[in-house]
Amino acid sequence: MKQAKVGLRLRRFRDEQGLTQAALAAALGISTSYVNQMESNQRPITGPVLLRLAEVFDVDVQRFSTAESERLAAQMRDALADTAHAEQISPHETRELAESAPELARYVVDLHRRYRHALERNAAMSVELDTGAAPTAYEEVRDLFYAKRNYVAELDEAAERTAAEAGLEQADLVGGLTRLLERRHRTTVADLDPAEQERTKRRFEPEGRVLRLSTLLTEGQRAFQLATHLALAEHSDAIDALVAAADLSGGEARALARIGLANYFAGALILPYGAFARAAEELRYDIDLLQHRFRVGYETVAHRLSTLQRPGRRGVPFFFVRVDRAGNISKRQSATDFHFSRVGGSCPLWNVYEAFAHPGEIRTQLAQMPDGRAYLWVARTVTSRYGGFGTPAKTFAIGLGCDLHHANRLVYADGLDLANPAALTPIGPGCKVCDRTGCPQRAFPAIGRPLDVTDHRSGFTPYPSSGRLSP
């Protein structure tokens, strides 16, 4: 972990705990003057101090890493790339603002998001196609989960209690959940009418208390839909409280957040934290073996792995992403820090896109971002089709990544040369905001660098720059 200016973050953490500098120093076994120097950015926070913080307060040490500042700085550069000010503000200035005033930096990023949404709405209205607020709503809900490090304690713990109290068994999740809904909520589970099977997964009829499911769902999918309905039936108050606390901008965002939180509960119910976390460590995070043991799909397992961040019992902090062939990221949730640009697309060297050329195979990649952080990425395609011959299929690539220092806990690291820098594929956050020079895949010139344009020379690298902005 990089040594960085963490004074503001450390001071904010101390205030949250209600501690004086002397009390924090005593808890960590260091001097009060040392705490004062760290909070004043006169001394960096060291590895032993971070370990002591984690031990005493059960805090995720990533909170004091450079990752959050780097992510904020990248988001600000992403926003600036969309304005006329991109070349007037250096990377050093954006990093300084992200480190010294993170709340102000988040405000700038939020302003840009609202600006982009206003432009999109204006363009839509000009052609009489009002697209509504869905893009912003999805981004708000994604940011809600990001702020919680993709772990929602209230729902996760409630789901585990429910699974234990109801005696749910992996071999009969559908039967167990069906009986639970009947016993607790007098709800009957039945099949949808044939005319609805291919377009509807779940529909609840309140007047008759009938929950209808499509027969095209797999057993794992049926269990997930039953668990989602149970979340809305039993934990609506807790979900509403979480939505209210998130301070979302409108009704659509709040509705999406309710569905997202209900889905979170469902995943935690069919894959209870304790049992699943133990199995993940035992099987070294082998997704195929976890699929077989818990009888659910690849995407469900991969997504649940990205949520194992319970204090005192954390799993590997993963970044989860789902993309389509066109490069659209339809899901992006994280227990760690990883940034891809909203301006200029994602990196074509990322192995999540390579997965489409090898359908059904797990592809691994050791990758490094321009800031030097290295990752292990695992990617595989998943395909689903609801209906018979001729019905369209949906194919996505599912990516799961973690910081390289966690890689030895994963079976996917076996045989990889984790200590060899040459084994790392250089990837970036998107061409417009990527600092890399000499990349043959570059699709756009880098913002903030003048182009080296001459009619006397032609090179192999697109958009060559005549220099690098000073840090």
Side-chain angles (χ1 to χ4, degrees):
M1 182 177 296
K2 293 182 181 179
Q3 293 182 342
K5 297 177 182 178
V6 297
L8 184 63
R9 278 168 276 173
L10 183 60
R11 185 161 60 251
R12 183 175 296 163
F13 170 75
R14 179 172 60 78
D15 290 341
E16 290 171 359
Q17 299 295 316
L19 299 173
T20 63
Q21 287 187 341
L24 179 61
L28 298 179
I30 58 179
S31 68
T32 303
S33 64
Y34 191 177
V35 173
N36 181 272
Q37 288 173 330
M38 286 192 295
E39 289 191 358
S40 302
N41 287 323
Q42 296 175 18
R43 296 185 67 173
I45 191 166
T46 63
V49 172
L50 283 172
L51 292 175
R52 185 65 178 157
L53 269 169
E55 179 184 348
V56 174
F57 297 101
D58 191 27
V59 62
D60 184 359
V61 296
Q62 290 293 330
R63 175 173 181 172
F64 304 100
S65 76
T66 60
E68 177 64 13
S69 296
E70 289 166 353
R71 174 179 177 269
L72 265 177
Q75 286 183 321
M76 287 186 65
R77 292 191 64 196
D78 199 1
L80 291 168
D82 208 22
T83 73
H85 303 284
E87 297 185 10
Q88 302 171 22
I89 302 176
S90 72
H92 172 73
E93 290 176 290
T94 56
R95 283 197 300 270
E96 189 70 27
L97 180 61
E99 284 191 355
S100 61
E103 291 304 320
L104 180 58
R106 290 189 186 95
Y107 178 67
V108 172
V109 171
D110 183 63
L111 279 179
H112 173 256
R113 181 162 53 233
R114 293 171 184 272
Y115 160 73
R116 287 299 310 170
H117 175 58
L119 288 182
E120 290 165 5
R121 280 186 61 86
N122 185 58
M125 290 171 68
S126 69
V127 293
E128 300 181 350
L129 290 173
D130 188 356
T131 57
T136 296
Y138 278 110
E139 289 175 359
E140 285 188 81
V141 173
R142 185 194 64 203
D143 289 346
L144 184 160
F145 280 96
Y146 183 88
K148 293 181 174 294
R149 294 284 177 178
N150 211 25
Y151 176 72
V152 186
E154 302 93 321
L155 298 181
D156 214 299
E157 293 167 4
E160 190 169 31
R161 285 195 302 271
T162 299
E165 292 167 0
L168 296 179
E169 299 178 355
Q170 295 300 138
D172 187 29
L173 277 177
V174 171
L177 287 168
T178 299
R179 292 187 290 273
L180 184 62
L181 286 169
E182 174 66 37
R183 185 170 69 251
R184 289 188 180 181
H185 303 284
R186 295 176 291 106
T187 296
T188 302
V189 178
D191 293 339
L192 280 166
D193 295 334
E196 283 190 275
Q197 296 286 352
E198 294 184 17
R199 65 175 185 272
T200 305
K201 294 180 182 179
R202 178 188 80 245
R203 179 166 56 78
F204 181 55
E205 300 170 358
E207 61 282 355
R209 306 204 63 78
V210 177
L211 178 63
R212 298 189 182 277
L213 301 179
S214 171
T215 59
L216 300 177
L217 299 174
T218 66
E219 285 293 292
Q221 291 167 337
R222 288 178 71 87
F224 187 86
Q225 294 299 325
L226 291 169
T228 299
H229 180 78
L230 184 68
L232 296 169
E234 289 195 355
H235 300 282
S236 185
D237 289 345
I239 289 173
D240 287 342
L242 287 164
V243 172
D247 191 27
L248 300 171
S249 65
E252 188 169 9
R254 288 189 286 271
L256 284 172
R258 275 182 56 81
I259 294 171
L261 291 166
N263 287 342
Y264 181 97
F265 177 92
L269 181 63
I270 64 179
L271 298 172
Y273 196 103
F276 186 75
R278 284 192 299 272
E281 290 289 345
E282 174 195 338
L283 300 175
R284 297 186 62 210
Y285 294 86
D286 189 311
I287 301 175
D288 286 326
L289 293 181
L290 288 167
Q291 273 188 266
H292 292 304
R293 179 170 296 190
F294 290 92
R295 306 185 185 200
V296 293
Y298 185 94
E299 182 176 347
T300 301
V301 170
H303 185 270
R304 184 58 168 146
L305 287 174
S306 74
T307 68
L308 298 183
Q309 292 300 295
R310 179 175 294 179
R313 235 184 132 175
R314 300 182 193 277
V316 171
F318 283 110
F319 184 98
F320 170 92
V321 67
R322 187 181 74 178
V323 304
D324 63 21
R325 292 179 184 274
N328 301 305
I329 299 177
S330 53
K331 285 187 181 180
R332 177 167 51 183
Q333 294 175 330
S334 177
T336 183
D337 299 286
F338 197 78
H339 175 73
F340 275 104
S341 174
R342 293 190 185 109
V343 178
S346 299
C347 182
L349 300 177
W350 193 22
N351 77 324
V352 174
Y353 298 112
E354 181 191 359
F356 288 107
H358 305 271
E361 296 180 18
I362 290 180
R363 312 295 295 178
T364 60
Q365 181 186 46
L366 300 178
Q368 186 177 50
M369 294 293 282
D371 62 9
R373 290 186 66 177
Y375 300 85
L376 169 62
W377 278 98
V378 179
R380 202 202 87 172
T381 58
V382 294
T383 300
S384 59
R385 174 184 281 108
Y386 300 105
F389 177 77
T391 56
K394 296 190 298 183
T395 299
F396 297 100
I398 304 298
L400 206 60
C402 68
D403 281 275
L404 199 58
H405 65 268
H406 293 295
N408 59 357
R409 296 168 66 180
L410 276 62
V411 67
Y412 304 108
D414 292 353
L416 301 179
D417 192 353
L418 302 180
N420 181 9
L424 300 173
T425 299
I427 66 174
C431 293
K432 287 187 178 179
V433 292
C434 183
D435 291 330
R436 295 196 186 280
T437 59
C439 177
Q441 286 283 167
R442 182 175 286 282
F444 303 99
I447 294 294
R449 287 208 196 105
L451 290 177
D452 183 14
V453 181
T454 174
D455 55 3
H456 297 298
R457 182 179 67 255
S458 178
F460 290 102
T461 302
Y463 309 107
S465 64
S466 60
R468 185 185 181 92
L469 282 177
S470 57

